[in-house]
Amino acid sequence: MLRFIFTRLSLVVPTFIGITLLVFVLIRLIPGDPIETMAGERGIDALRHEQLRKEYGFDQPVLVQYGLYLSRLVHGDFGRSIVTHEPVISEFGTLFPATIELSVCAILFALCLGLPAGIIAAVRRNSIFDHGVMGVSLTGYSMPIFWWGLLLILLFSVQLGWTPVSGRIAVQYFIEPVTGFLLIDALLAGDFGAFRSALSHLVLPMIVLGTVPLAVIARMTRSAMLEVLGEDYIRTARAKGLPYFRVIAIHALRNALIPVVTVIGLQVGVLFTGAILTETIFSWPGVGKWLIEGINRRDYPVLQGGTLLIGAIIMIVNLLVDVAYGLINPRIRYTR
Amino acid sequence: MSAEVLKTPIVSQPGAPPHPLSQFWSDFKANFGAVAGLVVIVVLILLALFADVVAPHSPIVTNNAVFLKPPFWQQGGSTAYPLGTDAIGRDILSRLIYGARLSLLIGIAVVTLSVVTGTVLGLIAGFFRGVIEIVIMRLMDITLTLPSLLLAIVIVAILGPGLMNAMLAVAIVLLPHYVRIARAAVISEVSKDYVVAAKVAGAGRLRLMFKEVLPNCTAPLIVQATLGISTAILDAAALGFLGLGAQPPLPEWGTMLADAREFVLRAWWVVTLPGLAILVTVLAFNLLGDGLRDALDPKLKR
């Protein structure tokens, strides 16, 4: 098992270094002088320009610059935002819980609907329900979620007035951040009004962000279940007189879940793509919205640091999924 | 009774095996969704080709007499603007029709660029192995690690917003899929007898790559390309929506949505219709791709 973890790690480290190189090169490709860009439209005098060039190491050869950049990264310095002058990593840290809260709820939403839908579709293969689930999930998979969000706002916020249009919580509530997850913090503070407010703000973004994973999970569960249901041990379980429900829920589902879990792990990147759009539509104060604002303000350190941090987090999650998968399924350890 | 017994063997008499293409067509035809997808795509292509004839108005000329006119079935609407007008008096239907031209162009151009580059890189990685392969595949891994939209955004941020740059960014994001498919296919094909025979017969490396091996890896590439068109359209529209793709007044569907966002409260049609167009188009390509996969992949045949 240790050897398995080490081989996986040995693949991750070069990929991460590759990402740093990629981000470094891409940002260097931006036309124009970086100091001028940082100074913005006000311009900068020649003396200060030279000072800043020295300070940021732009007078050094490119390779040295990359080395300096790496050593700063190792020390946890991801640069400072040009607009707010805050360290990128601390801005990321305050906004990231909002993104996690939204993403976790979206995945839970997708699981709660997608797993049962996929299971029933597989058990009742070729029924109307099966065709319905497959049709709906392909539609969900094809959904431009930025439009889906606008539609839901139009229906539930504007027409019916059930949910707020944007934000994370109504302005009259102030919850001291403990965990950074508003739902948990509100409960910890015992403020149920705030909890309800946070929940009602969360519902629509959660549905929007959960739509694509929901479609993927339903399709994946169905095909995994269909494969497992054809196995001999299922027939054996049925033949020895176990109730049908038990065979499906215990014998079949357990094995069918393995590919589904992997797919969920692989959805992290997809989820983040969705988070960028969802947060923009709902003004959700998370990392995705922050990155889009960073681009619109030409705040390149934010873009650079943010991309790198997100890449690192996705790689760590993928690694954990791989390792967990190796733990559940020993065959994986030896075939690679 | 006896007549029935006699009939059966005549009906099921084995004939000559059907031609592969007709076999493919009969498999494809049986899939209702795939045929529906194909029909929608054909209609869209016709609309795009004949946009100048079909569209009742110009997609970019504004008319300050008709701001935010609703569709014809609603009060205040008129059949002159069947699907209503936007905030500066442009006909929505005409913009959607011209938008089909843009979206199909985006899908096809992006996927062509991506498939050609990806196939060549994949063939090179599969044939040459060693350091070249490692460099190419590591690069693809890095591209795959970052969320697709984030990478596209970073690329557009560097190149500057605009339709061309957005297309290039999406093409780069899609690249790894084709490289991986092509490389995997090459590696499984190279050791087969027909390749060895061609090698013995003195075929050069380029001939082996493009004339012997490539035709035998086309099926998965075609399927992935069809599905790629839907991803390309969706991602380009998302970039347009974020203001990083096609710029106004281009009638790109995502850009139209971005323009319409502030009128969501007053005019449902400016928001609903462009998104519906994206959904229908993407769904059609996904249905077609799924149908092609089922028809082309003999492993899935029942």
Side-chain angles (χ1 to χ4, degrees):
Chain A
M1 190 63 211
L2 263 180
R3 226 185 102 196
F4 170 70
I5 295 177
F6 275 121
T7 31
R8 297 299 306 153
L9 262 178
S10 68
L11 282 173
V12 164
V13 173
T15 311
F16 184 71
I17 293 174
I19 292 181
T20 62
L21 193 62
L22 184 81
V23 172
F24 179 78
V25 170
L26 284 180
I27 300 292
R28 297 279 311 179
L29 283 177
I30 294 171
D33 179 76
I35 305 284
E36 300 273 349
T37 318
M38 269 186 232
E41 281 160 12
R42 280 167 296 139
I44 194 165
D45 65 87
L47 192 70
R48 180 85 185 117
H49 188 277
E50 203 48 43
Q51 261 179 349
L52 280 174
R53 260 175 69 84
K54 277 233 168 62
E55 198 182 314
Y56 283 93
F58 288 130
D59 53 344
Q60 309 274 348
V62 179
L63 215 60
V64 178
Q65 284 187 40
Y66 177 64
L68 285 173
Y69 174 65
L70 272 188
S71 87
R72 280 202 300 272
L73 286 186
V74 173
H75 290 96
D77 178 7
F78 286 76
R80 272 169 192 277
S81 159
I82 293 170
V83 178
T84 62
H85 301 290
E86 290 288 313
V88 168
I89 190 142
S90 72
E91 284 200 347
F92 187 90
T94 43
L95 295 170
F96 194 52
T99 302
I100 298 214
E101 188 174 38
L102 178 58
S103 310
V104 168
C105 291
I107 278 288
L108 287 179
F109 162 78
L111 276 176
C112 290
L113 282 181
L115 275 182
I119 294 168
I120 298 173
V123 172
R124 303 217 177 129
R125 190 181 185 181
N126 286 331
S127 68
I128 295 176
F129 184 84
D130 182 22
H131 291 304
V133 166
M134 292 315 285
V136 170
S137 72
L138 195 66
T139 312
Y141 185 71
S142 310
M143 188 67 83
I145 64 165
F146 42 99
W147 174 67
W148 180 226
L150 290 177
L151 273 195
L152 291 182
I153 291 178
L154 202 59
L155 181 62
F156 290 105
S157 307
V158 179
Q159 296 286 328
L160 298 170
W162 289 357
T163 53
V165 176
S166 65
R168 208 175 162 201
I169 193 164
V171 280
Q172 71 261 33
Y173 297 107
F174 178 75
I175 299 293
E176 193 64 45
V178 183
T179 57
F181 306 111
L182 259 183
L183 288 177
I184 298 173
D185 285 348
L187 280 183
L188 284 179
D191 190 340
F192 290 103
F195 180 76
R196 242 204 329 271
S197 172
L199 199 61
S200 69
H201 280 81
L202 181 70
V203 173
L204 287 190
M206 172 189 85
I207 293 174
V208 169
L209 186 54
T211 299
V212 174
L214 168 60
V216 174
I217 288 171
R219 279 166 76 95
M220 195 66 215
T221 310
R222 177 180 175 273
S223 66
M225 277 298 276
L226 280 179
E227 207 163 285
V228 171
L229 285 177
E231 298 280 339
D232 288 342
Y233 72 88
I234 296 292
R235 199 178 38 198
T236 311
R238 287 287 291 142
K240 73 180 185 187
L242 287 181
Y244 195 49
F245 180 78
R246 197 184 149 80
V247 176
I248 298 294
I250 311 280
H251 294 237
L253 187 58
R254 233 194 201 170
N255 283 292
L257 273 182
I258 295 175
V260 177
V261 169
T262 322
V263 164
I264 296 171
L266 293 176
Q267 287 290 301
V268 184
V270 177
L271 210 60
F272 194 81
T273 287
I276 294 177
L277 294 166
T278 311
E279 290 178 3
T280 307
I281 300 164
F282 289 96
S283 299
W284 188 264
V287 178
K289 183 167 162 280
W290 172 67
L291 276 172
I292 293 296
E293 283 169 357
I295 289 169
N296 290 335
R297 294 172 184 162
R298 311 211 153 272
D299 197 341
Y300 293 115
V302 161
L303 194 58
Q304 194 174 18
T307 307
L308 208 57
L309 285 164
I310 288 157
I313 287 164
I314 287 176
M315 274 175 31
I316 292 169
V317 173
N318 285 345
L319 180 71
L320 290 179
V321 170
D322 260 8
V323 171
Y325 197 44
L327 279 176
I328 303 171
N329 192 349
R331 274 172 295 179
I332 297 295
R333 275 180 252 163
Y334 300 108
T335 47
R336 277 191 208 172
Chain B
M1 187 72 187
S2 61
E4 263 179 26
V5 175
L6 273 176
K7 249 185 201 163
T8 342
I10 300 169
V11 174
S12 65
Q13 203 165 39
H19 186 267
L21 264 182
S22 77
Q23 173 70 43
F24 160 75
W25 178 242
S26 75
D27 285 345
F28 183 80
K29 210 163 51 170
N31 187 336
F32 171 75
V35 174
L38 185 64
V39 169
V40 171
I41 291 165
V42 169
V43 170
L44 280 171
I45 291 174
L46 289 177
L47 278 178
L49 284 178
F50 298 106
D52 298 320
V53 187
V54 187
H57 300 273
S58 154
I60 44 175
V61 172
T62 61
N63 180 353
N64 47 15
V66 284
F67 289 156
L68 288 177
K69 233 179 171 14
F72 71 91
W73 63 86
Q74 277 203 328
Q75 203 175 15
S78 78
T79 45
Y81 300 96
L83 296 179
T85 59
D86 66 6
I88 46 175
R90 293 175 296 196
D91 180 40
I92 301 262
L93 178 65
S94 308
R95 282 178 72 72
L96 288 180
I97 292 173
Y98 278 94
R101 192 180 261 186
L102 273 180
S103 280
L104 290 178
L105 204 70
I106 291 170
I108 291 164
V110 164
V111 168
T112 311
L113 181 63
S114 209
V115 168
V116 171
T117 323
T119 308
V120 171
L121 283 176
L123 284 174
I124 292 173
F127 262 94
F128 293 93
R129 314 302 293 263
V131 183
I132 300 175
E133 183 191 25
I134 293 172
V135 170
I136 293 178
M137 295 322 284
R138 283 295 102 186
L139 255 175
M140 292 306 128
D141 281 353
I142 293 166
T143 321
L144 270 184
T145 304
L146 292 172
S148 60
L149 190 62
L150 179 62
L151 185 62
I153 285 172
V154 172
I155 296 170
V156 171
I158 290 153
L159 300 174
L163 184 57
M164 278 301 164
N165 293 342
M167 282 164 68
L168 190 61
V170 176
I172 293 175
V173 169
L174 288 180
L175 199 57
H177 301 284
Y178 305 110
V179 177
R180 285 190 160 188
I181 290 176
R183 173 180 162 269
V186 167
I187 287 173
S188 74
E189 291 293 316
V190 152
S191 54
K192 289 195 179 155
D193 287 345
Y194 76 92
V195 182
V196 178
K199 218 185 258 172
V200 172
R205 212 160 218 171
L206 279 179
R207 195 194 157 84
L208 278 181
M209 273 161 82
F210 289 98
K211 283 220 102 148
E212 304 293 336
V213 171
L214 185 59
N216 288 297
C217 346
T218 40
L221 281 172
I222 290 174
V223 172
Q224 192 62 41
T226 316
L227 296 172
I229 292 180
S230 65
T231 318
I233 293 175
L234 209 52
D235 282 2
L239 286 174
F241 179 74
L242 292 171
L244 299 168
Q247 299 295 310
L250 273 185
E252 199 273 318
W253 294 332
T255 313
M256 281 172 77
L257 267 176
D259 289 346
R261 254 183 89 184
E262 47 187 309
F263 304 104
V264 67
L265 301 183
R266 284 198 284 151
W268 59 268
W269 58 93
V270 290
V271 176
T272 315
L273 298 172
L276 198 61
I278 301 174
L279 174 61
V280 168
T281 312
V282 172
L283 188 57
F285 276 105
N286 278 337
L287 283 169
L288 180 67
D290 277 1
L292 285 179
R293 177 169 50 206
D294 294 349
L296 287 174
D297 190 345
K299 272 174 277 174
L300 290 171
K301 266 183 200 147
R302 268 159 251 149

